[in-house]
Amino acid sequence: AVVSTQSTAVGKPRETILISETSGLFSPDKVAEDIVCGVENGKYNIGTGIEGWLLSQTCSGTEPVHAMIHGIIQALVAPLGRIIILFNHRIFDKICKEHAA
């Protein structure tokens, strides 16, 4: 992951920059590479990095799966992913409250 650069931070509120820095940012080339690879492999839900993967598993809903094992993994990961997301929201809320105008 790449930490937010000045060019990506232009016009962003301070809170957004701080939240982005909690996990870093991926380059547009990396995101594009993951999307192209996912499309070529018939993936329906494509995420970059561990956070993107976890979010895609947690939010899979009625997404079609190509193998039953993928559906089972999604069903098992979703509760854990939800707990992690709840903690992330607390961190993000704290950042926003500390920097509220």
Side-chain angles (χ1 to χ4, degrees):
V2 178
V3 176
S4 181
T5 62
Q6 282 193 329
S7 64
T8 62
V10 173
K12 284 186 180 178
R14 179 80 179 133
E15 298 91 324
T16 305
I17 294 168
L18 292 170
I19 289 171
S20 295
E21 289 174 352
T22 63
S23 65
L25 300 175
F26 290 93
S27 71
D29 289 340
K30 174 62 177 151
V31 174
E33 176 185 328
D34 289 350
I35 291 170
V36 170
C37 183
V39 169
E40 289 176 345
N41 289 304
K43 287 187 174 180
Y44 182 81
N45 200 341
I46 302 166
T48 297
I50 188 70
E51 294 94 348
W53 178 83
L54 183 61
L55 187 60
S56 70
Q57 301 310 299
T58 303
C59 300
S60 58
T62 59
E63 162 188 321
V65 293
H66 297 292
M68 184 60 86
I69 189 68
H70 294 149
I72 292 169
I73 289 170
Q74 290 171 343
L76 295 174
V77 168
L80 175 62
R82 181 63 179 144
I83 291 168
I84 292 169
I85 290 168
L86 289 172
F87 281 102
N88 281 345
H89 277 274
R90 290 191 64 152
I91 293 167
F92 300 160
D93 287 345
K94 182 180 177 198
I95 289 171
C96 291
K97 286 178 185 174
E98 288 174 355
H99 296 277

